[in-house]
Amino acid sequence: MSPSDELQNMVTRFAPSPTGRLHIGHGWSALMAHDMARAAGGAFRLRIEDIDGTRSRPEHVAGILEDLRWLGIDWDGDAVMHQSQRLDVYAAALDRLKGEGLVYPCFCTRAEIAAEIAASASAPHGPEGALYPGTCRALSPAQRAERAAQEPHCWRLDMAAALARSGPIRWRDAEQGWIDAHPEQAGDVVLARKDAPTSYHLAATTDDAAMGVTHVLRGEDLRTATDIHALLQTLLGLPGPVYRHHPLLVDASGRRLAKRTGGITLAELRESGADPACLAADLRSGVFPVGISLQHA
Ligand code: GLU
């Protein structure tokens, strides 16, 4: 595809988790992804990441759609994609990885993992802390089958086996070009949780491909996830979008904005009488409400 074809067919997306209302950081992120597609004559799509059955709430889904519309964001496509309706698609992707021997069932509880890490002098660490020590990777096929039939388990990617299969991984950054990925820094990540037949990594990767997303714009905190997603794309034969990671917003004390931080949700701003057109214009020019600023790397 030539660079101009790539722009004409651009598809971007916003993929919120309905675990609360959107804050202005989400609004800013959604506006950027929306504007990027609109400027290129492409499509902007919306996906609700509601695989977390305990924390996702239907009222938050409705609230998110309302917040986006209030901010003047429109999305394309007949329907909004809901991950909770696509569990069979994720199961098929997981089956493919199972068939290739690249995932294994893990029976460890959080407490067991913490104890194992504490007891080991050489527990593997990545930039985000201790990694899963690989306890269940060592089980024999017979042990796996026997325990999987009766014990709750998640499915983990066998990172070393996956990388041996894929070879070196890289992804394309919108500004910096090709970036060497190091998914091994995340260890044997979970691809299907004990309480859900998928995980964020598997679902997001599968869905970005299914939605035809060509450009992913998301927060800097998901840079490590991008390394993992690029690996999964290679393993599953999916196209790799171009990525751009934006800085996160922090409050006056330097804390990242969270859904629980008071006073900064789009719903609260609306209730306090904010003009959505002015707010959107401010966010577009990088002007944030008093006390909110970009986190510097
Ligand atoms: N659902 C994720 C979140 O709300 C975003 C995932 C993504 O953009 O890939 O943080």
Short mmCIF file of all heavy atoms in Angstrom, two decimals, residues 50-106:
data_model
loop_
_atom_site.label_atom_id
_atom_site.label_comp_id
_atom_site.label_asym_id
_atom_site.label_seq_id
_atom_site.Cartn_x
_atom_site.Cartn_y
_atom_site.Cartn_z
N ASP A 50 -15.72 -4.57 27.24
CA ASP A 50 -16.50 -4.98 28.42
C ASP A 50 -16.36 -6.47 28.74
O ASP A 50 -17.34 -7.14 29.04
CB ASP A 50 -17.98 -4.62 28.20
CG ASP A 50 -18.54 -5.22 26.90
OD1 ASP A 50 -17.76 -5.80 26.13
OD2 ASP A 50 -19.75 -5.11 26.67
N ILE A 51 -15.13 -6.95 28.68
CA ILE A 51 -14.94 -8.38 29.01
C ILE A 51 -14.84 -8.58 30.52
O ILE A 51 -14.90 -9.70 31.00
CB ILE A 51 -13.69 -8.99 28.35
CG1 ILE A 51 -12.46 -8.14 28.63
CG2 ILE A 51 -13.92 -9.22 26.88
CD1 ILE A 51 -11.16 -8.81 28.32
N ASP A 52 -14.65 -7.49 31.26
CA ASP A 52 -14.51 -7.61 32.70
C ASP A 52 -15.91 -7.61 33.33
O ASP A 52 -16.49 -6.56 33.60
CB ASP A 52 -13.68 -6.42 33.21
CG ASP A 52 -13.28 -6.60 34.66
OD1 ASP A 52 -14.04 -7.27 35.40
OD2 ASP A 52 -12.23 -6.09 35.04
N GLY A 53 -16.44 -8.83 33.49
CA GLY A 53 -17.82 -8.99 33.93
C GLY A 53 -18.14 -8.36 35.27
O GLY A 53 -19.27 -7.97 35.53
N THR A 54 -17.14 -8.24 36.14
CA THR A 54 -17.45 -7.70 37.46
C THR A 54 -17.39 -6.18 37.48
O THR A 54 -18.11 -5.54 38.23
CB THR A 54 -16.49 -8.25 38.54
OG1 THR A 54 -15.15 -8.09 38.06
CG2 THR A 54 -16.75 -9.72 38.81
N ARG A 55 -16.53 -5.58 36.64
CA ARG A 55 -16.35 -4.13 36.72
C ARG A 55 -17.08 -3.38 35.60
O ARG A 55 -17.33 -2.19 35.73
CB ARG A 55 -14.85 -3.79 36.70
CG ARG A 55 -14.16 -4.27 37.97
CD ARG A 55 -12.64 -4.14 37.89
NE ARG A 55 -12.24 -2.76 37.73
CZ ARG A 55 -11.35 -2.31 36.83
NH1 ARG A 55 -10.78 -3.15 36.01
NH2 ARG A 55 -11.03 -1.06 36.77
N SER A 56 -17.42 -4.07 34.50
CA SER A 56 -18.12 -3.39 33.41
C SER A 56 -19.60 -3.25 33.74
O SER A 56 -20.20 -4.21 34.21
CB SER A 56 -18.00 -4.20 32.11
OG SER A 56 -16.67 -4.29 31.73
N ARG A 57 -20.15 -2.08 33.49
CA ARG A 57 -21.57 -1.86 33.81
C ARG A 57 -22.31 -1.29 32.61
O ARG A 57 -21.81 -0.36 31.97
CB ARG A 57 -21.71 -0.83 34.94
CG ARG A 57 -21.00 -1.17 36.20
CD ARG A 57 -21.98 -1.81 37.21
NE ARG A 57 -21.24 -2.39 38.32
CZ ARG A 57 -20.70 -1.68 39.29
NH1 ARG A 57 -20.83 -0.38 39.30
NH2 ARG A 57 -20.05 -2.28 40.26
N PRO A 58 -23.52 -1.81 32.32
CA PRO A 58 -24.30 -1.27 31.19
C PRO A 58 -24.53 0.23 31.32
O PRO A 58 -24.53 0.95 30.32
CB PRO A 58 -25.63 -2.03 31.27
CG PRO A 58 -25.39 -3.18 32.19
CD PRO A 58 -24.20 -2.89 33.03
N GLU A 59 -24.72 0.72 32.56
CA GLU A 59 -24.99 2.17 32.69
C GLU A 59 -23.77 3.00 32.30
O GLU A 59 -23.88 4.12 31.81
CB GLU A 59 -25.49 2.54 34.09
CG GLU A 59 -24.55 2.30 35.25
CD GLU A 59 -24.72 0.91 35.88
OE1 GLU A 59 -25.15 -0.03 35.17
OE2 GLU A 59 -24.39 0.76 37.07
N HIS A 60 -22.57 2.41 32.49
CA HIS A 60 -21.38 3.14 32.04
C HIS A 60 -21.28 3.14 30.52
O HIS A 60 -20.80 4.09 29.92
CB HIS A 60 -20.11 2.53 32.64
CG HIS A 60 -20.02 2.68 34.13
ND1 HIS A 60 -20.39 3.83 34.77
CD2 HIS A 60 -19.58 1.84 35.09
CE1 HIS A 60 -20.20 3.69 36.07
NE2 HIS A 60 -19.71 2.48 36.29
N VAL A 61 -21.72 2.04 29.88
CA VAL A 61 -21.71 2.00 28.41
C VAL A 61 -22.58 3.13 27.88
O VAL A 61 -22.16 3.94 27.05
CB VAL A 61 -22.23 0.64 27.87
CG1 VAL A 61 -22.29 0.67 26.34
CG2 VAL A 61 -21.35 -0.51 28.35
N ALA A 62 -23.80 3.23 28.42
CA ALA A 62 -24.71 4.29 27.99
C ALA A 62 -24.10 5.66 28.28
O ALA A 62 -24.17 6.58 27.45
CB ALA A 62 -26.05 4.14 28.70
N GLY A 63 -23.46 5.79 29.43
CA GLY A 63 -22.85 7.07 29.81
C GLY A 63 -21.71 7.46 28.87
O GLY A 63 -21.57 8.63 28.50
N ILE A 64 -20.93 6.48 28.46
CA ILE A 64 -19.79 6.75 27.56
C ILE A 64 -20.29 7.26 26.21
O ILE A 64 -19.78 8.24 25.66
CB ILE A 64 -18.93 5.47 27.41
CG1 ILE A 64 -18.11 5.24 28.68
CG2 ILE A 64 -18.03 5.55 26.18
CD1 ILE A 64 -17.39 3.90 28.75
N LEU A 65 -21.35 6.61 25.69
CA LEU A 65 -21.89 7.05 24.39
C LEU A 65 -22.42 8.48 24.52
O LEU A 65 -22.22 9.33 23.64
CB LEU A 65 -23.02 6.10 23.93
CG LEU A 65 -22.65 4.62 23.78
CD1 LEU A 65 -23.81 3.86 23.14
CD2 LEU A 65 -21.40 4.42 22.94
N GLU A 66 -23.08 8.74 25.64
CA GLU A 66 -23.64 10.08 25.89
C GLU A 66 -22.51 11.12 25.98
O GLU A 66 -22.58 12.20 25.39
CB GLU A 66 -24.39 9.99 27.22
CG GLU A 66 -25.31 11.12 27.53
CD GLU A 66 -25.94 10.91 28.93
OE1 GLU A 66 -25.88 9.79 29.49
OE2 GLU A 66 -26.45 11.91 29.45
N ASP A 67 -21.45 10.77 26.71
CA ASP A 67 -20.32 11.70 26.89
C ASP A 67 -19.65 12.03 25.55
O ASP A 67 -19.31 13.18 25.28
CB ASP A 67 -19.26 11.09 27.81
CG ASP A 67 -19.75 10.89 29.24
OD1 ASP A 67 -20.76 11.53 29.61
OD2 ASP A 67 -19.14 10.09 29.98
N LEU A 68 -19.47 11.00 24.73
CA LEU A 68 -18.81 11.23 23.44
C LEU A 68 -19.67 12.11 22.54
O LEU A 68 -19.18 13.04 21.91
CB LEU A 68 -18.52 9.89 22.74
CG LEU A 68 -17.45 9.02 23.42
CD1 LEU A 68 -17.37 7.66 22.74
CD2 LEU A 68 -16.07 9.69 23.40
N ARG A 69 -20.97 11.82 22.51
CA ARG A 69 -21.88 12.64 21.68
C ARG A 69 -21.88 14.08 22.16
O ARG A 69 -21.87 15.01 21.37
CB ARG A 69 -23.30 12.07 21.72
CG ARG A 69 -23.43 10.80 20.91
CD ARG A 69 -24.90 10.49 20.61
NE ARG A 69 -24.99 9.18 20.01
CZ ARG A 69 -25.36 8.07 20.66
NH1 ARG A 69 -25.68 8.13 21.94
NH2 ARG A 69 -25.40 6.91 20.04
N TRP A 70 -21.88 14.25 23.49
CA TRP A 70 -21.90 15.61 24.06
C TRP A 70 -20.66 16.38 23.60
O TRP A 70 -20.74 17.57 23.28
CB TRP A 70 -21.93 15.49 25.60
CG TRP A 70 -21.86 16.82 26.29
CD1 TRP A 70 -22.84 17.76 26.36
CD2 TRP A 70 -20.73 17.34 27.02
NE1 TRP A 70 -22.39 18.84 27.07
CE2 TRP A 70 -21.11 18.61 27.49
CE3 TRP A 70 -19.45 16.86 27.31
CZ2 TRP A 70 -20.24 19.41 28.24
CZ3 TRP A 70 -18.60 17.65 28.05
CH2 TRP A 70 -18.99 18.91 28.51
N LEU A 71 -19.52 15.69 23.53
CA LEU A 71 -18.28 16.35 23.14
C LEU A 71 -18.22 16.56 21.61
O LEU A 71 -17.28 17.15 21.10
CB LEU A 71 -17.09 15.50 23.61
CG LEU A 71 -15.73 16.16 23.81
CD1 LEU A 71 -15.82 17.36 24.75
CD2 LEU A 71 -14.71 15.15 24.33
N GLY A 72 -19.23 16.06 20.90
CA GLY A 72 -19.29 16.28 19.45
C GLY A 72 -18.58 15.20 18.65
O GLY A 72 -18.19 15.43 17.51
N ILE A 73 -18.39 14.04 19.27
CA ILE A 73 -17.68 12.96 18.57
C ILE A 73 -18.70 11.99 17.97
O ILE A 73 -19.55 11.46 18.67
CB ILE A 73 -16.75 12.22 19.56
CG1 ILE A 73 -15.67 13.18 20.05
CG2 ILE A 73 -16.15 10.98 18.90
CD1 ILE A 73 -14.72 12.58 21.07
N ASP A 74 -18.59 11.79 16.66
CA ASP A 74 -19.47 10.81 16.00
C ASP A 74 -18.61 9.66 15.50
O ASP A 74 -17.44 9.85 15.20
CB ASP A 74 -20.21 11.47 14.83
CG ASP A 74 -19.25 12.13 13.85
OD1 ASP A 74 -18.14 12.50 14.29
OD2 ASP A 74 -19.58 12.27 12.67
N TRP A 75 -19.17 8.49 15.46
CA TRP A 75 -18.40 7.33 15.02
C TRP A 75 -19.10 6.66 13.86
O TRP A 75 -20.29 6.84 13.64
CB TRP A 75 -18.16 6.36 16.19
CG TRP A 75 -19.40 5.98 16.92
CD1 TRP A 75 -20.23 4.94 16.65
CD2 TRP A 75 -19.97 6.66 18.05
NE1 TRP A 75 -21.27 4.93 17.54
CE2 TRP A 75 -21.14 5.96 18.40
CE3 TRP A 75 -19.61 7.79 18.79
CZ2 TRP A 75 -21.95 6.36 19.46
CZ3 TRP A 75 -20.42 8.18 19.85
CH2 TRP A 75 -21.56 7.47 20.18
N ASP A 76 -18.33 5.88 13.10
CA ASP A 76 -18.85 5.21 11.91
C ASP A 76 -19.22 3.77 12.22
O ASP A 76 -18.81 3.21 13.23
CB ASP A 76 -17.78 5.22 10.82
CG ASP A 76 -17.42 6.64 10.41
OD1 ASP A 76 -18.29 7.34 9.90
OD2 ASP A 76 -16.27 7.04 10.66
N GLY A 77 -19.93 3.19 11.29
CA GLY A 77 -20.29 1.77 11.43
C GLY A 77 -21.70 1.66 11.95
O GLY A 77 -22.20 2.54 12.64
N ASP A 78 -22.34 0.55 11.59
CA ASP A 78 -23.74 0.37 11.98
C ASP A 78 -23.87 0.20 13.48
O ASP A 78 -24.79 0.69 14.10
CB ASP A 78 -24.30 -0.89 11.30
CG ASP A 78 -24.32 -0.70 9.80
OD1 ASP A 78 -24.33 0.47 9.38
OD2 ASP A 78 -24.28 -1.72 9.09
N ALA A 79 -22.93 -0.53 14.04
CA ALA A 79 -23.08 -0.82 15.46
C ALA A 79 -21.73 -0.61 16.16
O ALA A 79 -20.68 -0.71 15.54
CB ALA A 79 -23.52 -2.26 15.63
N VAL A 80 -21.84 -0.30 17.41
CA VAL A 80 -20.64 -0.21 18.24
C VAL A 80 -20.23 -1.65 18.56
O VAL A 80 -21.09 -2.49 18.84
CB VAL A 80 -20.99 0.55 19.55
CG1 VAL A 80 -19.83 0.53 20.51
CG2 VAL A 80 -21.42 1.97 19.22
N MET A 81 -18.95 -1.94 18.48
CA MET A 81 -18.51 -3.30 18.80
C MET A 81 -18.46 -3.49 20.33
O MET A 81 -17.94 -2.63 21.04
CB MET A 81 -17.13 -3.57 18.20
CG MET A 81 -16.64 -4.97 18.46
SD MET A 81 -14.99 -5.27 17.77
CE MET A 81 -15.38 -5.77 16.10
N HIS A 82 -19.03 -4.58 20.79
CA HIS A 82 -18.98 -4.91 22.22
C HIS A 82 -18.18 -6.19 22.38
O HIS A 82 -18.57 -7.23 21.83
CB HIS A 82 -20.39 -5.13 22.79
CG HIS A 82 -21.15 -3.86 22.98
ND1 HIS A 82 -21.70 -3.16 21.94
CD2 HIS A 82 -21.45 -3.16 24.10
CE1 HIS A 82 -22.30 -2.07 22.41
NE2 HIS A 82 -22.16 -2.05 23.71
N GLN A 83 -17.11 -6.13 23.13
CA GLN A 83 -16.28 -7.34 23.26
C GLN A 83 -17.04 -8.49 23.93
O GLN A 83 -16.78 -9.65 23.63
CB GLN A 83 -15.01 -7.01 24.04
CG GLN A 83 -14.07 -6.13 23.23
CD GLN A 83 -12.71 -5.98 23.83
OE1 GLN A 83 -12.57 -5.98 25.06
NE2 GLN A 83 -11.70 -5.83 23.00
N SER A 84 -17.97 -8.17 24.80
CA SER A 84 -18.70 -9.24 25.50
C SER A 84 -19.50 -10.10 24.52
O SER A 84 -19.90 -11.21 24.85
CB SER A 84 -19.63 -8.64 26.55
OG SER A 84 -20.52 -7.73 25.93
N GLN A 85 -19.72 -9.58 23.29
CA GLN A 85 -20.48 -10.36 22.30
C GLN A 85 -19.59 -11.13 21.36
O GLN A 85 -20.06 -11.73 20.39
CB GLN A 85 -21.38 -9.41 21.49
CG GLN A 85 -22.47 -8.79 22.34
CD GLN A 85 -23.16 -7.63 21.66
OE1 GLN A 85 -22.96 -7.36 20.47
NE2 GLN A 85 -23.98 -6.92 22.42
N ARG A 86 -18.30 -11.11 21.61
CA ARG A 86 -17.37 -11.73 20.65
C ARG A 86 -16.50 -12.82 21.30
O ARG A 86 -15.41 -13.12 20.83
CB ARG A 86 -16.49 -10.63 20.04
CG ARG A 86 -17.30 -9.70 19.16
CD ARG A 86 -16.50 -8.54 18.66
NE ARG A 86 -15.20 -8.88 18.14
CZ ARG A 86 -14.96 -9.39 16.93
NH1 ARG A 86 -15.96 -9.63 16.11
NH2 ARG A 86 -13.73 -9.66 16.55
N LEU A 87 -17.01 -13.40 22.38
CA LEU A 87 -16.18 -14.35 23.12
C LEU A 87 -15.81 -15.57 22.26
O LEU A 87 -14.72 -16.13 22.41
CB LEU A 87 -16.89 -14.78 24.41
CG LEU A 87 -17.21 -13.62 25.37
CD1 LEU A 87 -17.85 -14.14 26.64
CD2 LEU A 87 -15.96 -12.80 25.70
N ASP A 88 -16.70 -15.96 21.32
CA ASP A 88 -16.39 -17.11 20.47
C ASP A 88 -15.22 -16.80 19.52
O ASP A 88 -14.43 -17.68 19.19
CB ASP A 88 -17.63 -17.57 19.70
CG ASP A 88 -18.30 -16.43 18.95
OD1 ASP A 88 -18.08 -15.25 19.33
OD2 ASP A 88 -19.02 -16.68 17.98
N VAL A 89 -15.13 -15.55 19.11
CA VAL A 89 -14.03 -15.16 18.21
C VAL A 89 -12.70 -15.27 18.96
O VAL A 89 -11.70 -15.77 18.44
CB VAL A 89 -14.24 -13.71 17.70
CG1 VAL A 89 -13.08 -13.27 16.82
CG2 VAL A 89 -15.56 -13.60 16.95
N TYR A 90 -12.71 -14.81 20.21
CA TYR A 90 -11.46 -14.88 21.00
C TYR A 90 -11.11 -16.34 21.31
O TYR A 90 -9.94 -16.72 21.32
CB TYR A 90 -11.60 -14.10 22.31
CG TYR A 90 -12.17 -12.71 22.12
CD1 TYR A 90 -13.15 -12.21 22.97
CD2 TYR A 90 -11.74 -11.91 21.07
CE1 TYR A 90 -13.68 -10.94 22.78
CE2 TYR A 90 -12.27 -10.64 20.87
CZ TYR A 90 -13.25 -10.16 21.72
OH TYR A 90 -13.78 -8.92 21.52
N ALA A 91 -12.15 -17.15 21.56
CA ALA A 91 -11.91 -18.57 21.86
C ALA A 91 -11.25 -19.24 20.65
O ALA A 91 -10.33 -20.06 20.80
CB ALA A 91 -13.22 -19.26 22.21
N ALA A 92 -11.67 -18.85 19.44
CA ALA A 92 -11.09 -19.44 18.23
C ALA A 92 -9.61 -19.04 18.10
O ALA A 92 -8.76 -19.85 17.73
CB ALA A 92 -11.88 -19.00 17.00
N ALA A 93 -9.32 -17.78 18.43
CA ALA A 93 -7.92 -17.32 18.35
C ALA A 93 -7.08 -18.08 19.38
O ALA A 93 -5.95 -18.51 19.10
CB ALA A 93 -7.85 -15.81 18.60
N LEU A 94 -7.65 -18.26 20.57
CA LEU A 94 -6.92 -18.99 21.60
C LEU A 94 -6.70 -20.44 21.19
O LEU A 94 -5.61 -21.00 21.39
CB LEU A 94 -7.68 -18.91 22.94
CG LEU A 94 -6.94 -19.50 24.14
CD1 LEU A 94 -5.73 -18.62 24.50
CD2 LEU A 94 -7.87 -19.63 25.35
N ASP A 95 -7.72 -21.04 20.57
CA ASP A 95 -7.61 -22.43 20.11
C ASP A 95 -6.46 -22.58 19.11
O ASP A 95 -5.74 -23.58 19.12
CB ASP A 95 -8.90 -22.88 19.42
CG ASP A 95 -9.93 -23.36 20.43
OD1 ASP A 95 -9.55 -23.55 21.61
OD2 ASP A 95 -11.11 -23.51 20.06
N ARG A 96 -6.33 -21.58 18.27
CA ARG A 96 -5.25 -21.64 17.28
C ARG A 96 -3.90 -21.67 18.00
O ARG A 96 -3.01 -22.45 17.65
CB ARG A 96 -5.37 -20.42 16.37
CG ARG A 96 -4.30 -20.34 15.36
CD ARG A 96 -4.68 -19.37 14.27
NE ARG A 96 -3.49 -19.04 13.50
CZ ARG A 96 -3.49 -18.22 12.47
NH1 ARG A 96 -4.60 -17.66 12.09
NH2 ARG A 96 -2.37 -17.98 11.82
N LEU A 97 -3.75 -20.83 19.02
CA LEU A 97 -2.48 -20.80 19.76
C LEU A 97 -2.29 -22.08 20.57
O LEU A 97 -1.17 -22.58 20.71
CB LEU A 97 -2.44 -19.56 20.66
CG LEU A 97 -2.52 -18.22 19.92
CD1 LEU A 97 -2.62 -17.06 20.90
CD2 LEU A 97 -1.29 -18.04 19.01
N LYS A 98 -3.41 -22.63 21.06
CA LYS A 98 -3.33 -23.92 21.78
C LYS A 98 -2.83 -25.00 20.83
O LYS A 98 -1.95 -25.79 21.17
CB LYS A 98 -4.71 -24.35 22.30
CG LYS A 98 -5.19 -23.63 23.54
CD LYS A 98 -6.57 -24.20 23.95
CE LYS A 98 -7.21 -23.33 25.01
NZ LYS A 98 -8.63 -23.64 25.24
N GLY A 99 -3.40 -25.00 19.63
CA GLY A 99 -3.03 -26.01 18.62
C GLY A 99 -1.56 -25.94 18.26
O GLY A 99 -0.95 -26.94 17.88
N GLU A 100 -0.99 -24.76 18.40
CA GLU A 100 0.43 -24.60 18.06
C GLU A 100 1.32 -24.75 19.29
O GLU A 100 2.53 -24.53 19.20
CB GLU A 100 0.65 -23.24 17.40
CG GLU A 100 -0.05 -23.17 16.06
CD GLU A 100 0.24 -21.90 15.29
OE1 GLU A 100 1.35 -21.37 15.41
OE2 GLU A 100 -0.66 -21.44 14.60
N GLY A 101 0.72 -25.10 20.41
CA GLY A 101 1.50 -25.33 21.64
C GLY A 101 2.12 -24.05 22.20
O GLY A 101 3.16 -24.10 22.85
N LEU A 102 1.49 -22.90 21.94
CA LEU A 102 2.09 -21.64 22.38
C LEU A 102 1.47 -21.07 23.66
O LEU A 102 1.89 -20.02 24.13
CB LEU A 102 1.99 -20.59 21.25
CG LEU A 102 2.74 -20.96 19.96
CD1 LEU A 102 2.54 -19.89 18.90
CD2 LEU A 102 4.23 -21.17 20.24
N VAL A 103 0.45 -21.74 24.17
CA VAL A 103 -0.15 -21.31 25.43
C VAL A 103 -0.24 -22.50 26.37
O VAL A 103 -0.24 -23.64 25.92
CB VAL A 103 -1.57 -20.70 25.22
CG1 VAL A 103 -1.51 -19.35 24.54
CG2 VAL A 103 -2.48 -21.65 24.45
N TYR A 104 -0.32 -22.22 27.65
CA TYR A 104 -0.48 -23.31 28.62
C TYR A 104 -1.42 -22.87 29.74
O TYR A 104 -1.51 -21.67 30.05
CB TYR A 104 0.89 -23.74 29.18
CG TYR A 104 1.65 -22.66 29.92
CD1 TYR A 104 1.48 -22.46 31.29
CD2 TYR A 104 2.56 -21.85 29.25
CE1 TYR A 104 2.18 -21.48 31.96
CE2 TYR A 104 3.27 -20.86 29.91
CZ TYR A 104 3.08 -20.68 31.28
OH TYR A 104 3.76 -19.70 31.94
N PRO A 105 -2.13 -23.84 30.34
CA PRO A 105 -3.03 -23.48 31.43
C PRO A 105 -2.23 -23.19 32.69
O PRO A 105 -1.24 -23.88 32.98
CB PRO A 105 -3.90 -24.73 31.61
CG PRO A 105 -3.08 -25.85 31.07
CD PRO A 105 -2.18 -25.28 30.02
N CYS A 106 -2.64 -22.18 33.42
CA CYS A 106 -1.95 -21.81 34.66
C CYS A 106 -2.97 -21.84 35.80
O CYS A 106 -4.02 -21.21 35.72
CB CYS A 106 -1.35 -20.42 34.51
SG CYS A 106 -0.73 -19.73 36.06
#
